[in-house]
Amino acid sequence: MAVDAAGAGRAPARTPGAPPRRTTRPRRGGRLVPYGFVSPFFLVFGIFGLYPLLYTFWVSLHHWDRLTGDGGFAGLDNFQDLFADPDFYTATFNTFSIFLLSTVPQLLLALAVAWLLDRRLRARTTWRALVLVPQYVSVVAVALVFSQLFGRDFGVVNWALQHLGLISEPVDWTAETWSSHLAIAFMVMWRWTGYNALIYLAAMQAVPRELYESALVDGAGRMLTFRRITLPAIRPTVLFTVVISTIGGLQLFAEPFLFDPQANAEGGTEHQFQTLTLMLYKYGFINNDAGYASAISCVLFLVIAAVAALNFLVTRRLGGGSGR
Amino acid sequence: MGTSLIRRSLAATAGLTTLLTLAGCSSGSTGTSGEITLTVATFSDFGYKPLIAQYEKTHPGIRVQERVSQLDQHHNSLSTQLSSGSGAADVVAVEEGYMPKFRQVKDKFVNLAEYGALRREEEYLPYKWAQATADDGRFVMGYGTDVGGLAICYRRDLFAQAGLPTDRDEVGKLWPTWQDYFKTGDTFTAKVKDHAWFDSAGNVFSAMMNQTEVGFFDTSDSYVADTNPDVEKFFSDTSKAAAAGQSANLVPFSQQWNAGIKQGKMATITCPAWMTGLIQTAAGEEAEGKWDIASVPGGGGNWGGSFLTVPKQGKHVKEAAELAAFLTSADSEKKIFQGPTGSLPSLTDALADPAVQDTRKAYFNDAPTGKIFAASAKDLRPSFRGSKDQQVRVPFANALQLVEQRKASPDEAWRRALADAAKNLAH
Amino acid sequence: MAPSLTTPASRPDAPTALPGAGGPPGHPRPRRRRGSGPRHFDSAGPLAYALLAAVVLASVFPLYWTFVVASHGDNSVLGGSTPSLVPGGHLVANIRRVFDTVDFWKALGNSFAVAGTTAASNVLLSSLAGYAFAKLRFPGRDALLVVVIATVMVPTQLGIIPLYLLVTDMGLYGTLSSLIVPALVSAVGVFWMRQAMEENIPDELIESARVDGAGHLRTFLHVAWPGVRSTAAVLGMFTFMFAWNDYFWPLIALPPENGTVQIALNQLAAGYYTDYTLMLAGVVVSVLPVLALFAVLARRIVSGVMDGAVKG
């Protein structure tokens, strides 16, 4: 059905009151109008999204000082140095470690919270709203606040752990790999758990109640209905949140950047919490080596693309039920 | 849900946005009434508040705005602003360690010689003047604000507890050399538990590096840290002291460092003049009189100190140059020294001025800070800075922290510092 | 983190409540399983309340603690052997110091300008493009749509260095435009609005409007737009939040004195001597307006987030 032709062709007969120019305009300009509607996106994406990404690859093949510009073709030197740099592997490990530490417990906890919220509660909206509060605190605020809470000497976390008898000596959270990853993962978790819980809750509420009822009749307990009915029904949603968390989690910057009191993008004395994005910032905007930083970008891009493609395939296969 | 609620909030947002955008656009550096706003960017409190108030009073039509960032971020954004040609403040402080780096792009700065700077050469300590000039002195990139000088701040009460002398002259005699300083540290830590000898190995290392003429880079700007025996020795001495438990393991200028000072966790802190202000703020009123100041091991020295520069991209470079000259005048520098920040003048006359020489700090047990710091600033051999000094400094500081965190032996830390520094030089 | 990439619920705009009325207490949605006999699996026991209370406590405690520190006179509140949990009386004084130390008004204004403009333009441009993709036929449409979908997942943040070089070349460095222009419209938004158009606007409606002689723009405004307004509002909200919270790019593209709220916050943490009561008072100032807005619109936002979720 050619909307344009049909509309323009029949219009004069059906609406005699319409001004005459209206009858011709859709026909002549009409063909281009759809392109006009979609062009802003392609323009903006082309200039500020695609072009920089392609240009990143170009820059990565050069010696390129951010301040003085192109310093000559370098071939694959930047990549060679990068792959020979132990820090790169540390950063890759950190990125995935923090990502997993923050995502897995976060989504599990979100499921539990959603499960708790998915029942008849007094003041339901208030509970939902309260769970969502951390989402409204900016990343920078979260990082500044939690860096204090995780302070070595006077941090609330150490104080609490000591009083509970879980540790005898205060933990120097920034000093070790595990502790810094935990602290950073905690910031991410705190901010996003409630949000994901609400998304799961929405999915849970779409599960037909009759399913539960028949399960109850069959004598299934609460845990069992959750495992047998709720979980399978919301699996596409879970997969989707995994995808989202992946893209954000692999590009983590503000939390590890601000967790370090010196904020020099070193990510600790042994780069124990330097993520790939942090490393990219260090070389690109502190050391001003745009070429090397671009090489990091390229590699990070491939990593994310691979993980996202994997996610996409899985989502498509398992999430087909959600349509679209 | 009220759709008109959405429409209204969208409309309100749009309206507000337009308003704010307009407001943002009109708040350029020139007001409508012909009033000029000059911005002064520094990386810690330079003690300029009263001076600015004074300047605004004597220069109607000029308003001065201060903006303060963290040291490294300040210089990083200056790099960006210089390369992009916009965004820099009218008057920008550059720390001595960063000066060589920015001198490489001196074309982006106003040559203050065009605004009568050459007249001021006589006023300055010769090495301070030399650090800010190029082209055989014809290009003046900045006016020196302060020099660090170098001394040791120490806690009298903790020294007494350890059976060490407390009088500042006798304390100074404890450590003619850094070896003696660390040896005294051993004595101290053996006697006083729960208190460290110094705050941070990084600070001690910085002080030592600032006493040597050639540090990370030789005078032709080649990297020599891996072959310079001085660097290795300084690193080894400090890291061994840290490994022996002399360090309070406080990351300099962090919250823990500030809190550590408040709790008196360390007996000594290497002390350029500007450090006295920080200690006083961090330690608070209840520690008044507990701190004192003695001379530094190894003779005089300088740590830190800055310059005021005027980037060319500013709209009011003439006025900015005048302001920079005012803020670095002998009179201003004297006032700053007597003020809470305590930064030491970089002008010969100001240093010799009785107002400076006779200055004592009540907080530091009435120590004659004027005499102590002025003497150290005059005695020193200026230390050469490479253009990539800052890039190299971080790995060494990190490596020392590794030792403090008990994550590496001094030898391992040294190797790591060299490897990381090489990497930072390569990329 | 990216804003939600999820598709909107397939819910045509339900009959709306009176404007301004927040709806009756309880749930705004008609479809509900309430009150149809006792169903014990559905009810919340004391344990559920207790667990939820624990979750809420964990969500709110860091904010309370921030408020406590921000209301004290100096850093000594942090140096005690026991963390202080009692508010002091210096909150107002500290907030005043925040405004004295950094130009927080300007930062708030900048953040509002950037977030507001990008939200408005995303809603407008995404709706137009979504409309074209869902309801108009034109050669190359499907191929172009595939491009949009493919770019949804592209982490454009990784082109940050050329983006910086580009923005500098265009003379946009340090201006709010450097934040706004690259974010005018996103693939997520276009995709999202296309879904909404596809599901909520019957083709017949469009057709009859066209038959009545309405032009594209007119059809869009009077037929398509009313049907997707609520999805558009959610998109606007997410875009606003995302722009408001962004830190990485403003840190690079703006000088500190012309920054956004996030940059201003970071400025408070700068300097050799970090004044924590001041810094956390800044956090309070940055969080309060958002939380106040949130309190007013809580119901709307909660349902927006939930509507934004994929339903299984």
Side-chain angles (χ1 to χ4, degrees), chain B residues 43-106:
Chain B
F43 47 83
S44 65
D45 187 0
F46 273 40
Y48 284 162
K49 263 209 179 75
L51 295 172
I52 285 174
Q54 181 192 338
Y55 194 77
E56 285 179 337
K57 216 172 271 169
T58 53
H59 294 71
I62 292 187
R63 277 185 20 80
V64 181
Q65 246 176 13
E66 263 192 291
R67 68 190 207 220
V68 180
S69 325
Q70 188 263 345
L71 173 77
D72 295 316
Q73 283 177 21
H74 169 83
H75 293 96
N76 284 339
S77 32
L78 179 58
S79 301
T80 303
Q81 290 151 0
L82 291 178
S83 75
S84 67
S86 69
D90 296 289
V91 178
V92 182
V94 174
E95 207 258 354
E96 162 224 26
Y98 277 98
M99 211 53 187
K101 174 180 166 176
F102 286 111
R103 201 158 41 189
Q104 293 179 316
V105 290
K106 65 179 192 310

Side-chain angles (χ1 to χ4, degrees), chain A residues 35 120 122 136 138 222 324, chain C residues 41-42 49 139 262 301:
Chain A
Y35 297 104
R120 285 197 286 169
R122 235 173 272 254
Y136 288 86
S138 68
R222 188 156 215 159
R324 316 175 317 250
Chain C
F41 82 90
D42 202 17
Y49 279 108
Q262 310 310 328
I301 291 172

Side-chain angles (χ1 to χ4, degrees), chain A residues 81 87 148 175 269-270 289, chain B residues 80 255 259 405 407 423 427:
Chain A
D81 287 3
D87 292 354
Q148 297 311 309
T269 44
E270 284 181 302
D289 188 335
Chain B
T80 303
Q255 181 220 345
Q405 293 169 342
K407 287 165 76 181
K423 225 178 315 179
H427 288 290

Side-chain angles (χ1 to χ4, degrees), chain C residues 35-52:
Chain C
S36 50
R39 241 179 266 135
H40 66 84
F41 82 90
D42 202 17
S43 61
L47 185 63
Y49 279 108
L51 288 173
L52 277 177

Side-chain angles (χ1 to χ4, degrees), chain B residues 126-142:
Chain B
Y127 71 90
K128 186 77 181 175
W129 182 256
Q131 282 180 324
T133 50
D135 298 348
D136 297 324
R138 277 171 286 127
F139 192 100
V140 182
M141 201 179 124

Side-chain angles (χ1 to χ4, degrees), chain B residues 25-38 61 90 315-316:
Chain B
C25 291
S26 64
S27 68
S29 57
T30 308
T32 42
S33 58
E35 193 179 68
I36 290 176
T37 301
L38 297 174
D90 296 289
K315 288 199 188 90
H316 310 288

